[in-house]
Amino acid sequence: MHYRQLGRTGLNVSVIGFGGIPIQRVSQEEATAIVHRALDKGINFFDTARGYTDSEAKLGEVFKNCRSKVIIATKSMARTKDGMAADIKKSLDTLGVDYIDLYQLHNVKDRAALEQVFKPDGALAALKEAKKAGVIKHIGITGHIRDYLVEALKSGELETVQFPFNAVEAGGAQELFDQAEQARAGIIIMKPLAGGAIRNTNLALRFILEHNVSTVIPGMDSPVQVDENAMAGQELLPLSAAEKKVLDEESGTLGAVFCRRCEYCQPCPQGIDIPTVFLLDGYYTRYDLKDWAKERYRALPTKADSCAECGECEEKCPYNLPIRRMLAESAIRLGK
């Protein structure tokens, strides 16, 4: 396994990391076997979150016997100082560790959230206090909307940035790459397989590793997936022209029905959070996290079946997606 430095943190992380979302759907016994296989393959960077149900707990059960071998990253949607402080404590307790290597502001997706976390009583203040106390070592941010991540990095407060980047969602990322380099922030790539939509795993991961990223964190829920993902980080072979053509052709087939979560479709006149609906639908259809996706869908204040079919979203979508049809299909699946 190859390793790269995670920005200015000084941490050397495996170029293939471990995404902790799919671990929710396996037993503790299975999770233990999967994590040990990852460790055997040289994977040392594990990413989870407060919001991933029992992901922290399952990983923590393994980490208590091999803490020195792993770099733990987790994250919270808390926006206030008190809320983040509480979540940091919960993560420490759930993971069963004395410190967490990287704690991230999770899914900062709009200006209100960005401004709130940077306020004196915002989430960043709690993270800085926890870092001073030694219970977290480094602070990062995650999100899908690149403009807000670029702005956040300009603060100089953040040591890492995590965002989606893959063969489908490659366009428009250069500004964020450049800002991360300027800030000496480590780059963590999530959704490397476009939420499971890209099936040619090896080519997809190698495509990303040709860029100046620190680590890529595909989700894994079986030892076979670990083996397949780890292979891409062992030799760092650039894509041949023929391989690039194969990946381009597969990515092109997703273009008609794939939401990149750019949020140009927002706001919806009916109040539907369209990108979130499609994100949850992806968890339902591609990750097989049906119950988890439906539970979160039920918590949305406005459901997909509230669509009035006005078409404003489709007029604003830069990818010309058939959003009205996609919402109707999502409503059927998630509303069961």
Side-chain angles (χ1 to χ4, degrees):
M1 178 63 66
H2 284 259
Y3 299 84
R4 293 176 181 172
Q5 187 159 306
L6 186 62
R8 64 180 189 273
T9 67
L11 298 171
N12 286 315
V13 297
S14 51
V15 294
I16 300 297
F18 188 100
I21 289 180
I23 207 79
Q24 299 170 90
R25 62 173 173 249
V26 302
S27 68
Q28 181 63 61
E29 183 179 2
E30 291 170 314
T32 299
I34 293 164
V35 173
H36 280 301
R37 179 67 68 88
L39 292 168
D40 290 343
K41 291 293 182 179
I43 293 172
N44 71 349
F45 183 81
F46 293 80
D47 179 85
T48 180
R50 287 297 313 139
Y52 297 168
T53 60
D54 61 357
S55 178
E56 282 186 338
K58 284 175 176 169
L59 293 175
E61 183 65 23
V62 187
F63 294 160
K64 67 183 181 182
N65 297 316
C66 57
R67 180 65 183 92
S68 63
K69 297 181 180 180
V70 298
I71 295 170
I72 302 172
T74 192
K75 45 197 179 287
S76 164
M77 286 282 291
R79 302 304 187 220
T80 65
K81 182 178 180 181
D82 288 347
M84 180 60 79
D87 270 358
I88 292 170
K89 184 179 186 306
K90 288 176 184 175
S91 289
L92 289 165
D93 292 343
T94 305
L95 286 161
V97 296
D98 296 326
Y99 71 93
I100 292 166
D101 299 281
L102 174 64
Y103 213 104
Q104 301 158 100
L105 299 160
H106 190 190
N107 195 22
V108 177
K109 66 176 185 176
D110 53 41
R111 180 150 301 281
L114 181 64
E115 291 177 352
Q116 175 59 49
V117 297
F118 277 97
K119 286 181 178 178
D121 63 347
L124 181 61
L127 290 170
K128 292 168 73 172
E129 286 188 2
K131 183 178 178 180
K132 187 175 181 180
V135 295
I136 67 171
K137 301 300 183 182
H138 305 284
I139 301 170
I141 189 170
T142 84
H144 294 82
I145 311 303
R146 292 166 183 166
D147 289 348
Y148 297 120
L149 298 178
V150 168
E151 190 171 342
L153 287 174
K154 290 178 180 178
S155 70
E157 301 273 15
L158 304 167
E159 299 166 271
T160 66
V161 60
Q162 181 180 147
F163 60 96
F165 181 75
N166 52 63
V168 180
E169 299 175 271
Q174 193 57 50
E175 182 183 8
L176 183 48
F177 278 113
D178 291 344
Q179 186 58 52
E181 182 177 0
Q182 186 174 334
R184 296 175 52 233
I187 297 175
I188 303 163
I189 298 301
M190 61 172 161
K191 303 293 187 294
L193 306 180
I198 299 175
R199 298 302 180 183
N200 206 319
T201 301
N202 185 266
L203 299 188
L205 295 176
R206 285 165 54 202
F207 164 78
I208 296 168
L209 291 173
E210 290 183 5
H211 296 77
N212 186 29
V213 306
S214 305
T215 185
V216 184
I217 53 169
M220 311 182 205
D221 66 1
S222 72
V224 171
Q225 287 183 358
V226 172
D227 292 346
E228 185 177 11
N229 292 331
M231 191 180 302
Q234 291 170 353
E235 295 188 56
L236 298 185
L237 297 173
L239 295 180
S240 67
E243 289 173 327
K244 189 174 187 306
K245 182 179 179 182
V246 169
L247 187 59
D248 286 344
E249 288 176 352
E250 181 181 6
S251 301
T253 64
L254 298 173
V257 293
F258 186 77
C259 174
R260 281 85 165 175
R261 298 178 297 282
C262 67
E263 299 205 354
Y264 285 114
C265 60
Q266 299 293 86
C268 165
Q270 306 303 316
I272 303 170
D273 186 341
I274 296 170
T276 296
V277 169
F278 293 153
L279 180 65
L280 294 175
D281 195 42
Y283 286 131
Y284 183 99
T285 58
R286 293 192 289 270
Y287 278 99
D288 196 29
L289 289 168
K290 292 181 170 60
D291 291 340
W292 188 72
K294 288 162 68 175
E295 179 183 351
R296 276 149 184 78
Y297 177 74
R298 285 194 292 269
L300 295 178
T302 308
K303 309 299 187 292
D305 58 8
S306 296
C307 175
E309 299 195 10
C310 66
E312 287 188 20
C313 53
E314 294 184 4
E315 292 176 6
K316 294 184 287 186
C317 177
Y319 302 103
N320 299 312
L321 297 180
I323 296 176
R324 288 173 287 185
R325 175 171 61 80
M326 292 167 65
L327 282 174
E329 293 170 352
S330 297
I332 293 171
R333 282 187 287 268
L334 297 172
K336 293 177 182 177

